[in-house]
């Protein structure tokens, strides 16, 4: 169990993010996540995939272990289809009408849409099964996603979810390099494209662990919000949660 | 070594409660559909979660199989740590190690 102060402060930060999200009155929420073999395997691994289902289900993990009951989550296949069609102008994205959520999506949704009353469009970036998509493509994917969202009448919020340095599900689970995390977050908050895209996977693996490959989800958000500053509202390393738990927001400069 | 086949079997088990039921009723009836060497088959059947980690099974697949086999989270972590002492470095995959121990 997490220490009470860790848990309470994180939950409060999530709740503030929920309020900020609700204030924008979105019609749908896109969640860009790093898949963890809940849906895809190395027999057919998409670099990018967007959900197009009527509904989704999660978490795949033991609900008691994760602390989140298994539930159905509404999708919006018509909106997904229109977004996918637009993204395909720039990125050869895969799509899936079936999708199981793992902790990567179920945890943020548990806090951000606790009533599961907002249409969700899940998005996957392969961060686990190399060869992985290059970072500049994750940026371009974010740009394509933004362009697609701007082209539909619905108001769409985008959340990126993943860890920075971490070594999850290994003997080193709980190790977190806070200085590596903070250096990355400095680049992320300033939308510093050049610096963010300068990481190599070899460096990331050595310094940030195999979980560090999930910086792709952050980078996709930066691509989607190119030119906008971000802010980090919460960062705290919580070893039992295996990551430096981070909550940040990009306010669009429209 | 057929790490791909080992991971594929565990991934399929994680995805299907029907396959899990068949597997725990008659493991060989499931294993025969995958090209596994003797060490891999034994590690899956026993189960030797630590050895599967050493072989290179991705933790995001292995953690679910460990839970399926009744491992609590701390036992899962301990099995991997113990295996580094017993078997040495992780041999392949995303977690390959060269120092015979984790970073902790």
């Amino acid at each position: 169990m997490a220490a009470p102060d860790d848990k309470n402060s994180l939950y409060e930060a999530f709740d503030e993010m929920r309020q900020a999200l609700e204030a924008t009155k979105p019609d749908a929420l896109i969640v860009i996540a790093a898949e963890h073999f809940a849906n895809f395997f190395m027999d057919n691994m998409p670099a990018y995939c967007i959900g197009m289902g009527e509904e989704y289900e999660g978490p795949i993990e033991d609900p008691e272990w994760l602390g989140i009951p298994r539930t159905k989550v509404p999708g919006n296949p018509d909106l997904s289809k229109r977004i996918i069609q637009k993204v395909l102008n720039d990125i050869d994205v895969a799509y899936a009408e079936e999708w199981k959520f793992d902790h990567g999506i179920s945890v943020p949704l548990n806090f951000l849409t606790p009533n599961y009353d907002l249409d969700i469009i899940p998005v996957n970036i392969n961060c686990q099964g190399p060869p992985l998509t290059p970072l500049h493509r994750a940026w371009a994917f974010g740009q394509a996603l933004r362009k697609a969202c701007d082209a539909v009448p619905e108001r769409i919020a985008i959340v990126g979810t993943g860890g920075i340095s971490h070594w999850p599900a290994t003997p080193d689970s709980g190790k977190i390099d806070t200085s590596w995390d903070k250096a990355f977050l400095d680049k992320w908050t300033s939308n510093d494209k050049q610096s963010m895209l300068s990481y190599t996977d070899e460096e990331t693996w050595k310094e940030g662990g195999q979980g560090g490959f999930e910086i792709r989800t952050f980078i996709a958000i930066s691509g989607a919000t190119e030119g906008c500053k971000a802010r980090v509202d919460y960062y705290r390393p919580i070893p039992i949660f295996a990551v430096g738990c981070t909550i940040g927001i990009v306010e669009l400069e429209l | 070594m057929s790490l791909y086949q080992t991971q594929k079997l565990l991934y399929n088990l994680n995805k299907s409660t029907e396959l899990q039921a068949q597997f725990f009723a008659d493991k060989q009836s499931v294993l025969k559909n995958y090209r596994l060497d003797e060490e891999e088959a034994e590690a899956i059947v026993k189960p030797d979660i630590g050895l599967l980690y050493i072989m290179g099974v991705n933790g995001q697949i292995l953690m679910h199989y460990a839970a399926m086999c009744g491992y609590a989270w701390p036992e899962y972590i301990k099995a991997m740590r113990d295996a580094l002492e017993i078997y040495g470095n992780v041999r392949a995959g995303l977690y390959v190690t060269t120092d015979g121990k984790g970073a902790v």
Side-chain angles (χ1 to χ4, degrees), chain A residues 150-227:
Chain A
D150 286 346
V152 299
E154 288 89 346
R155 291 173 59 79
I156 301 171
I158 307 179
V159 167
T161 166
I164 313 177
S165 71
H166 62 311
W167 290 254
T170 75
D172 300 328
S173 188
K175 182 190 175 194
I176 299 158
D177 187 332
T178 54
S179 59
W180 201 81
D181 288 4
K182 286 178 177 171
F184 177 79
L185 286 173
D186 281 347
K187 299 172 176 63
W188 185 75
T189 51
S190 55
N191 199 264
D192 186 343
K193 180 178 182 181
Q194 193 178 350
S195 294
M196 268 190 281
L197 302 192
S198 70
Y199 287 88
T200 67
D201 279 348
E202 190 179 1
E203 283 168 356
T204 298
W205 185 84
K206 281 182 184 160
E207 297 166 17
Q210 88 285 351
F213 294 149
E214 292 179 5
I215 59 173
R216 284 167 172 76
T217 63
F218 286 73
I219 288 172
I221 292 294
S222 296
T225 59
E226 186 163 19

Side-chain angles (χ1 to χ4, degrees), chain B residues 19-38:
Chain B
L19 189 64
Q20 287 171 30
Q22 181 189 340
F23 177 77
F24 286 107
D26 179 3
K27 291 179 178 171
Q28 292 305 325
S29 74
V30 174
L31 258 58
K32 71 179 184 187
N33 297 319
Y34 298 84
R35 295 191 307 279
L36 305 170
D37 66 27
E38 199 176 327

Side-chain angles (χ1 to χ4, degrees), chain A residues 5-138:
Chain A
D5 188 53
D6 286 341
K7 187 174 157 183
N8 293 339
S9 63
L10 175 62
Y11 286 16
E12 279 170 27
F14 259 129
D15 202 54
E16 284 169 17
M17 187 178 180
R18 176 187 63 75
Q19 292 173 44
L21 176 69
E22 288 176 356
T24 66
K25 302 190 184 311
D27 298 312
L29 172 63
I30 289 176
V31 185
I32 304 174
E35 234 261 346
H36 303 98
F37 301 110
N39 301 283
F40 307 109
F41 184 66
M42 280 76 80
D43 56 347
N44 193 2
M45 178 66 78
Y48 301 96
C49 187
I50 299 179
M52 201 169 73
E54 287 276 355
E55 65 177 12
Y56 307 99
E57 188 182 272
I60 59 161
E61 290 85 359
D62 176 358
E64 273 192 43
W65 178 76
L66 195 60
I68 297 175
R70 197 160 287 150
T71 188
K72 303 271 190 196
V73 179
N76 185 332
D78 172 63
L79 178 58
S80 283
K81 191 173 179 182
R82 284 181 282 129
I83 286 174
I84 292 162
Q85 191 65 62
K86 295 284 184 192
V87 170
L88 282 167
N89 287 324
D90 301 303
I91 300 284
D92 296 320
V93 68
Y95 66 84
E97 293 198 37
E98 293 183 39
W99 198 303
K100 301 273 191 190
F101 291 172
D102 62 44
H103 61 277
I105 293 181
S106 289
V107 169
L109 289 189
N110 175 62
F111 293 100
L112 299 177
T113 62
N115 299 318
Y116 300 105
D117 51 2
L118 181 63
D119 290 347
I120 303 300
I121 299 177
V123 172
N124 168 51
I125 301 178
N126 171 27
C127 300
Q128 277 288 330
L132 305 179
T133 187
L135 300 186
H136 71 273
R137 294 296 288 166

Side-chain angles (χ1 to χ4, degrees), chain B residues 13-57:
Chain B
L13 279 173
N14 293 343
K15 294 263 292 180
S16 167
T17 52
E18 290 81 7
L19 189 64
Q20 287 171 30
Q22 181 189 340
F23 177 77
F24 286 107
D26 179 3
K27 291 179 178 171
Q28 292 305 325
S29 74
V30 174
L31 258 58
K32 71 179 184 187
N33 297 319
Y34 298 84
R35 295 191 307 279
L36 305 170
D37 66 27
E38 199 176 327
E39 185 184 39
E40 290 159 346
E42 280 179 12
I44 291 167
V45 168
K46 195 176 176 182
D48 189 336
I49 297 297
L51 180 54
L52 290 168
Y53 163 69
I54 295 295
M55 288 173 179
V57 174

